[in-house]
């Protein structure tokens, strides 16, 4: 049940508000044909490596922690501990550089850390305090630089953020109106008008909702994976893509209303035995979408890989090498995935690794530590 809770933290059920004039492209996937095949990890990536995170301090995160808790400036990896909120910095090969504890009540500290991100415009590491602050620190020493303080300026809480030029898209779980545009220069926040249905409130448990698709900041509706983007100029949301999954397509009308959280947990797994639903994560790199979706009543998600330029797709639970897959952080042609010792054998087949990565694999298992999987796209 504990593993189920980890997964269900990701489930979103949102009713979208969209611009009807936008052209919506349909992404068709032959589910039965894809399920009949078993792709190799090397059909998607040229190489897989594994590095130990060589920290003297334990990290509390696990394989489902996701991109909320890891970021990179291209030179280093920054990991936010989801329990004690400390920040550990490693180079891109997993070598430990420093640990920073910025938890406290001074202006330079945060009481809770819900997300970490890198701001490429100002070169600063940003940490989200859900009380309404985005804390900014220098990458070299994690010293305090500045803070965007929106406390008492429109939202009771902010649970996720994503940069959209000089502004931010904010996701809040505290109210019906879920997505907001934050303008730090004007110190104002405005709604995108995207509300959730009250009768499904207990079914809503957001994950990291955002991803960048080419030049657009996007999110998705969890029940069926419908992808939409944010237009800060008009303050509106526009649907870009819908999925056609044939008989495996989820329908909103299939989901019962006004159930408890525990009832919805059971309903979701039962429904996924015959439907691809819910989508729990979508990432993109260049023209390819990487989607995590629940199927076959399993708590471990299946993966849809969809090439928007060709319409080609893969759908699998495990690769030919017996590996599960979760998309995470793309940096300069490499996808980085945090992995803990408990789940390492499920996500990496030791036999595909080079000698250095095999040594890292053995060290992580023996020490009960953690590492980073590198999936090379080029």
């Amino acid at each position: 049940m504990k593993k189920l809770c980890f997964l269900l933290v990701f489930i979103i059920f949102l009713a979208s508000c969209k611009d009807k004039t936008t052209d919506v492209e349909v992404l068709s996937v032959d589910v039965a044909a894809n399920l009949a095949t078993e792709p190799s990890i090397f059909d998607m990536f040229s190489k897989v490596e594994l590095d130990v995170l060589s920290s003297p301090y334990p990290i509390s995160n696990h394989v489902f922690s996701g991109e909320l808790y890891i970021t990179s400036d291209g030179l280093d990896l920054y990991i936010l501990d989801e329990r004690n909120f400390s920040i550990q910095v490693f180079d891109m090969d997993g070598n430990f550089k420093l640990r920073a504890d910025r938890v406290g009540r001074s202006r330079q500290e945060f009481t809770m850390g819900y997300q970490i991100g890198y701001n490429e415009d100002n070169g600063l590491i940003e940490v989200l305090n859900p009380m309404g602050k985005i804390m900014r620190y220098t990458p070299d020493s994690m010293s305090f630089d500045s803070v965007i303080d929106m406390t008492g300026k429109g939202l009771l809480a902010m649970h996720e953020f994503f940069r959209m030029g000089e502004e931010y898209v904010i996701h809040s779980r505290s109210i019906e109106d879920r997505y907001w545009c934050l303008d730090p220069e004007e110190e104002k926040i405005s709604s995108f008008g995207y509300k959730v249905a009250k009768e499904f409130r207990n079914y809503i448990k957001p994950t990291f909702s955002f991803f960048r698709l080419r030049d657009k900041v996007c999110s998705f509706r969890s029940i069926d994976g419908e992808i939409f983007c944010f237009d800060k100029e008009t303050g509106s949301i526009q649907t870009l893509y819908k999925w056609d999954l044939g008989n495996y397509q989820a329908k909103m009308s299939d989901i019962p209303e006004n159930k408890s959280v525990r009832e919805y947990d059971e309903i979701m797994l039962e429904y996924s035995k015959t439907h691809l639903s819910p989508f729990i994560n979508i990432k993109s790199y260049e023209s390819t979408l990487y989607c995590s979706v629940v199927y076959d009543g399993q708590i471990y998600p299946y993966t849809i890989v969809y090439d928007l330029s060709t319409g080609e797709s893969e759908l699998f639970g495990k690769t030919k090498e017996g590996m599960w897959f979760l998309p995470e952080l793309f940096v300069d042609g490499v996808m980085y995935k945090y992995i803990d010792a408990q789940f390492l054998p499920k996500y990496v087949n030791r036999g595909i690794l080079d000698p250095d990565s095999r040594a890292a694999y053995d060290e992580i298992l023996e020490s009960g530590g953690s590492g980073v999987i590198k999936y090379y796209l080029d």
Side-chain angles (χ1 to χ4, degrees):
M1 193 64 192
K2 184 176 180 181
K3 293 180 181 178
L4 177 59
C5 290
F6 285 155
L7 178 63
L8 294 181
V9 166
F10 298 110
I11 298 175
I12 311 166
F13 188 76
L14 302 175
S16 68
C17 173
K18 54 182 177 290
D19 183 346
K20 301 295 185 180
T21 64
T22 304
D23 292 331
V24 178
E25 185 175 342
V26 176
L27 309 179
S28 297
V29 177
D30 189 333
V31 175
N34 273 281
L35 289 174
T37 64
E38 194 175 50
S40 168
I41 193 68
F42 300 110
D43 294 334
M44 295 167 281
F45 301 97
S46 61
K47 181 173 60 174
V48 178
E49 293 181 342
L50 180 68
D51 289 330
V52 178
L53 289 175
S54 56
S55 173
Y57 308 97
I59 302 174
S60 306
N61 302 5
H62 53 78
V63 73
F64 290 133
S65 297
E67 198 175 345
L68 279 172
Y69 298 99
I70 185 171
T71 193
S72 174
D73 60 359
L75 299 175
D76 294 313
L77 294 168
Y78 302 81
I79 297 178
L80 174 66
D81 192 295
E82 63 179 318
R83 291 186 184 174
N84 61 40
F85 308 133
S86 65
I87 299 165
Q88 295 197 43
V89 184
F90 303 84
D91 68 20
M92 302 304 279
D93 295 321
N95 298 305
F96 177 78
K97 299 185 74 171
L98 66 92
R99 177 184 183 272
D101 185 352
R102 298 292 178 258
V103 178
R105 296 191 176 276
S106 76
R107 183 175 180 273
Q108 302 180 7
E109 298 172 320
F110 49 87
T111 53
M112 291 183 286
Y114 267 38
Q115 180 185 341
I116 191 167
Y118 173 64
N119 188 323
E120 59 186 17
D121 287 344
N122 59 28
L124 297 173
I125 302 299
E126 299 181 326
V127 178
L128 178 64
N129 183 333
M131 302 306 291
K133 297 179 181 180
I134 297 177
M135 314 297 296
R136 290 173 164 174
Y137 300 94
T138 61
D140 55 349
S141 61
M142 292 304 298
S143 299
F144 176 76
D145 178 88
S146 55
V147 58
I148 300 172
D149 190 350
M150 300 301 293
T151 306
K153 297 179 181 178
L155 286 179
L156 294 176
M158 304 190 309
H159 298 105
E160 303 171 68
F161 73 91
F162 199 89
R163 288 184 53 248
M164 185 171 56
E166 296 180 354
E167 289 82 34
Y168 296 77
V169 183
I170 301 295
H171 179 241
S172 177
R173 307 173 202 154
S174 304
I175 52 178
E176 292 179 40
D177 213 348
R178 292 303 169 97
Y179 291 105
W180 297 74
C181 181
L182 187 160
D183 185 336
E185 183 174 349
E186 297 292 330
E187 293 189 350
K188 67 178 184 180
I189 195 162
S190 55
S191 171
F192 280 105
Y194 191 107
K195 297 186 177 182
V196 302
K198 292 182 179 180
E199 56 268 29
F200 297 105
R201 189 66 53 84
N202 287 335
Y203 197 73
I204 303 166
K205 300 175 184 178
T207 180
F208 185 58
S209 306
F210 305 111
F211 64 99
R212 192 177 302 277
L213 180 56
R214 301 187 179 102
D215 61 340
K216 299 182 184 298
V217 175
C218 297
S219 187
F220 60 95
R221 187 168 67 179
S222 188
I223 187 173
D224 56 8
E226 181 176 294
I227 295 171
F228 52 88
C229 68
F230 301 90
D231 187 335
K232 66 179 180 180
E233 302 301 327
T234 63
S236 64
I237 288 175
Q238 302 173 346
T239 300
L240 297 177
Y241 299 101
K242 293 184 177 182
W243 295 89
D244 177 7
L245 306 175
N247 295 331
Y248 300 84
Q249 185 84 32
K251 300 176 183 177
M252 192 182 304
S253 58
D254 292 341
I255 308 300
E257 302 175 5
N258 297 315
K259 299 295 183 181
S260 69
V261 172
R262 183 178 295 276
E263 287 173 324
Y264 273 131
D265 291 351
E266 297 172 354
I267 289 167
M268 182 274 292
L269 286 182
E270 183 64 28
Y271 190 58
S272 74
K273 289 180 179 179
T274 53
H275 297 81
L276 284 160
S277 179
F279 283 68
I280 61 174
N281 190 15
I282 298 182
K283 295 288 182 287
S284 74
Y285 184 79
E286 295 182 343
S287 65
T288 302
L289 297 174
Y290 300 85
C291 312
S292 299
V293 59
V294 180
Y295 177 65
D296 199 28
Q298 302 295 318
I299 64 171
Y300 299 108
Y302 277 58
T303 301
I304 298 175
V305 179
Y306 192 96
D307 190 328
L308 293 170
S309 63
T310 66
E312 297 178 347
S313 64
E314 299 279 4
L315 170 59
F316 60 93
K318 294 181 181 179
T319 68
K320 184 186 298 183
E321 297 79 14
M323 296 162 54
W324 293 96
F325 180 78
L326 283 172
E328 197 153 290
L329 181 68
F330 288 87
V331 182
D332 298 331
V334 181
M335 193 198 87
Y336 294 80
K337 174 76 189 89
Y338 177 88
I339 187 71
D340 54 308
Q342 177 185 357
F343 288 96
L344 178 59
K346 294 182 180 296
Y347 285 83
V348 178
N349 182 329
R350 187 180 183 278
I352 71 168
L353 301 175
D354 62 26
D356 288 341
S357 293
R358 289 183 184 180
Y361 185 102
D362 296 338
E363 181 178 342
I364 292 170
L365 288 186
E366 290 170 6
S367 67
S370 58
V372 171
I373 312 169
K374 296 178 181 176
Y375 302 85
Y376 289 80
L377 285 146
D378 303 318

